[in-house]
Amino acid sequence: MAAAETQQEQYAPKPAAEGRGYWRWHRDDFFPEPSFASWGAYRSALAATPARLRDRFTGRSTDAIELGALRRRSENEMRRCLTWWDLTWFGFGSVIGAGIFVLTGQEAHDHAGPAIVLSYVVSGLSAMLSVFCYTEFAVEIPVAGGSFAYLRVELGDVAAFIAAANLILESIIGTAAVARSWTSYFASLINKPASALRIQTSLRDGYNELDPIAVVVIAVTATMAILSAKGTSRINWVASAIHVVVIAFVIVAGFIHAKPSNLTPFMPHGVPGVFRAAAIVYFAYGGFDNIATMAEEVKNPSRDIPLGLLGSMSVITVIYCVMALVLSMMQPYTEIDRSAAYSVAFSSVGMHWAQYVVALGALKGMTTVMLVGALGQARYTTHIARSHIIPPVFALVHPRTGTPVNANILIAAAACCIGFFSSLDVLSSLLSISTLFIFMMMATALLVRRYYVRGVTTRTHALRLLVFLLVIIASSAGIAAYWGTTPERWEGYVVLVPAWLLGTLGIQLMVPAARAPKVWGVPLVPWLPSLSIATNLFLMGSLGSEAFVRFGVCTAIMLIYYVLVGLHATYDVAHDVCSEDELKDYSDTDDAAAGEKAAVKTADVEKASAGDGGR
């Protein structure tokens, strides 16, 4: 133990009490692990890569470690200042504004036509399934890491890294996409074409319109998020309340000028177009995971998180469907503007003044999306840095503001670079596939959490669970692939759909539940998580091949980084044995956290190390 403690001192962040300032730029603040101490040490680490990969593939964290030891690495605590009321309005602020104003016109025009309303229904149902999974995890593991922390506990370090990389990519691309759309709506507000405020260049199409306004908007919202979480919440309350009034105006005024004849043809590109659009507009629902990342700052997670997440998302789904219907009835789908759909639609029916109200509402909506996104994305990044997958300097919480300033700056700077030159249609499909992939992993992790506990589940039952999970995932992927290649044929579904049903039924009947949720749990397990896996994979399969190519290239780049850097940093951290005091050194006031304290003493608590053997 003494040797381990000595090793810990080599790379653990120094306590704030030692007088170190927040702003640090020494090499040891970025790469403090023994593997990076010298070139010789790094060469030795690279030589051990195969063994370390095996170790990290089987390594698992625990609820207690995520709640305790990792949080200590931020040196200062985030402030518990949020309630269900804050979370509910964060839900509105983080979701309404991006997808409905940004992507509805694009997808109605290109893929779904008036059936865009069905696209929102499909993606909304899939999103609600994911919300259920997130809520159970957030109540029981209320830390800033969101899905990254949950996957570290249930699926291991490698799966968590894939999620972490996609989370950071999603954060950067999402912020950039909304910021560029902010510029389009601002141009509409001052009676200019959507691209009038961008700088035209001779670069490749899709990258040839430089957007300095997007950079300014990202910088301003990130600065606001840095100053105070509670202060940001108050700003969001007011802005979101105003936004609700604008939405009510859009719906009422839109229906007054609606023409049922514009709904014909309802499905101009058929059912495939509906699902292709559903996969893209899924981005509109993606902001809810930012709420889960704020669990560390919630006063009563077991009560506030379910109310905030489920309540806000239920209302938002209805709003999206109604607004999509309004747009489809105001204009023929071929005339819908792809960049500023609602503003142009009101102008087309003679309400020229209304386009300014809509544009102003869209601007406000996108601003709050970016504001709440800046809060959530920084908290994801903070917890990822706590694990040392990225440099731990980004895990530090500022002692005065109680916010992760470094993490905010990292995401904002990267988003500024992307948003400056990349167009929305280049970004949106990559963002959707990343989001859908993470939500699929979350549903899988929930099934593992319910049906596998180390020391409780027998080897036979664990093997059955693995087989049935593979059947569910493979059949779901098969359905998606079959739909993507031959949507007009039905023979494959005769095999694939029953296979999915049998995989899910097999878990229910042949694998005993190993864990019950302590406070709040997903109903109808394993059916709802299994359906979430199927719907997310199906929507992924509805995306074009270019999205998978971009996703594959980005994933390959991420894995190269992991093999060269992240693997060795996390290996060093995992093989430093945490003391019992460190595991217990966290405080929560809700029942779920109290249950986790007791769990430290049960067989469910395990340590990710070479001798552990994994789950």
Side-chain angles (χ1 to χ4, degrees), residues 175-176 178-180 182-183 186 197 210-224 367 370 412-413 415-417 419-420:
T175 301
V178 178
R180 288 184 68 89
W182 197 99
T183 303
F186 184 69
L197 300 180
L210 306 184
D211 196 336
I213 293 178
V215 173
V216 173
V217 174
I218 293 171
V220 170
T221 53
T223 301
M224 294 172 68
T367 302
M370 295 175 64
C416 285
C417 294
F420 186 61

Side-chain angles (χ1 to χ4, degrees), residues 535-550:
T535 55
N536 284 311
L537 285 173
F538 185 81
L539 290 176
M540 285 177 67
S542 299
L543 293 168
S545 59
E546 287 187 3
F548 283 89
V549 171
R550 292 174 184 143

Side-chain angles (χ1 to χ4, degrees), residues 114 257-266 327-333:
H257 293 85
K259 296 180 180 179
S261 60
N262 288 332
L263 295 178
T264 305
F266 185 67
L327 179 65
S328 299
M329 295 180 72
M330 289 181 70
Q331 279 186 298
Y333 80 93

Side-chain angles (χ1 to χ4, degrees), residues 484-541:
T485 54
T486 54
E488 69 283 354
R489 303 189 63 176
W490 56 270
E491 295 87 348
Y493 304 120
V494 175
V495 176
L496 294 169
V497 173
W500 175 83
L501 290 169
L502 288 173
T504 309
L505 188 63
I507 292 178
Q508 184 177 27
L509 299 179
M510 300 181 66
V511 184
R515 186 201 317 257
K518 299 179 181 69
V519 180
W520 190 95
V522 176
L524 299 177
V525 175
W527 293 97
L528 287 189
S530 180
L531 184 60
S532 181
I533 292 172
T535 55
N536 284 311
L537 285 173
F538 185 81
L539 290 176
M540 285 177 67

Side-chain angles (χ1 to χ4, degrees), residues 43-108:
R43 285 193 295 269
S44 298
L46 289 178
T49 295
R52 291 186 170 193
L53 275 174
R54 288 192 297 270
D55 176 89
R56 292 296 80 219
F57 185 78
T58 58
R60 298 292 185 273
S61 181
T62 67
D63 295 13
I65 290 174
E66 297 299 311
L67 288 163
L70 258 67
R71 283 172 57 178
R72 285 171 54 89
R73 292 174 184 154
S74 289
E75 297 186 0
N76 299 288
E77 288 287 327
M78 295 184 192
R79 295 170 185 167
R80 289 193 175 277
C81 56
L82 304 178
T83 66
W84 68 270
W85 180 258
D86 296 292
L87 296 185
T88 299
W89 284 105
F90 273 141
F92 280 96
S94 67
V95 178
I96 296 180
I100 194 65
F101 286 110
V102 175
L103 296 176
T104 307
Q106 173 184 303
E107 293 308 306

Side-chain angles (χ1 to χ4, degrees), residues 293-355:
T293 67
M294 298 177 195
E296 196 170 312
E297 295 159 273
V298 174
K299 293 180 179 179
N300 188 347
S302 62
R303 180 198 65 187
D304 296 340
I305 293 173
L307 286 173
L309 265 173
L310 297 175
S312 61
M313 285 302 298
S314 299
V315 176
I316 287 166
T317 300
V318 174
I319 290 174
Y320 276 1
C321 294
V322 174
M323 289 188 69
L325 180 62
V326 165
L327 179 65
S328 299
M329 295 180 72
M330 289 181 70
Q331 279 186 298
Y333 80 93
T334 53
E335 297 177 14
I336 293 175
D337 187 86
R338 297 178 78 256
S339 299
Y342 288 89
S343 294
V344 175
F346 275 103
S347 181
S348 71
V349 298
M351 296 181 66
H352 298 285
W353 60 270
Q355 67 176 314

Side-chain angles (χ1 to χ4, degrees), residues 164-203:
N166 278 282
L167 283 168
I168 293 177
L169 179 67
E170 177 185 331
S171 300
I172 294 169
I173 292 177
T175 301
V178 178
R180 288 184 68 89
S181 294
W182 197 99
T183 303
S184 296
Y185 266 91
F186 184 69
S188 174
L189 187 64
I190 58 176
N191 281 324
K192 290 184 177 294
S195 297
L197 300 180
R198 299 191 179 107
I199 301 171
Q200 305 297 319
T201 70
S202 58
L203 297 174

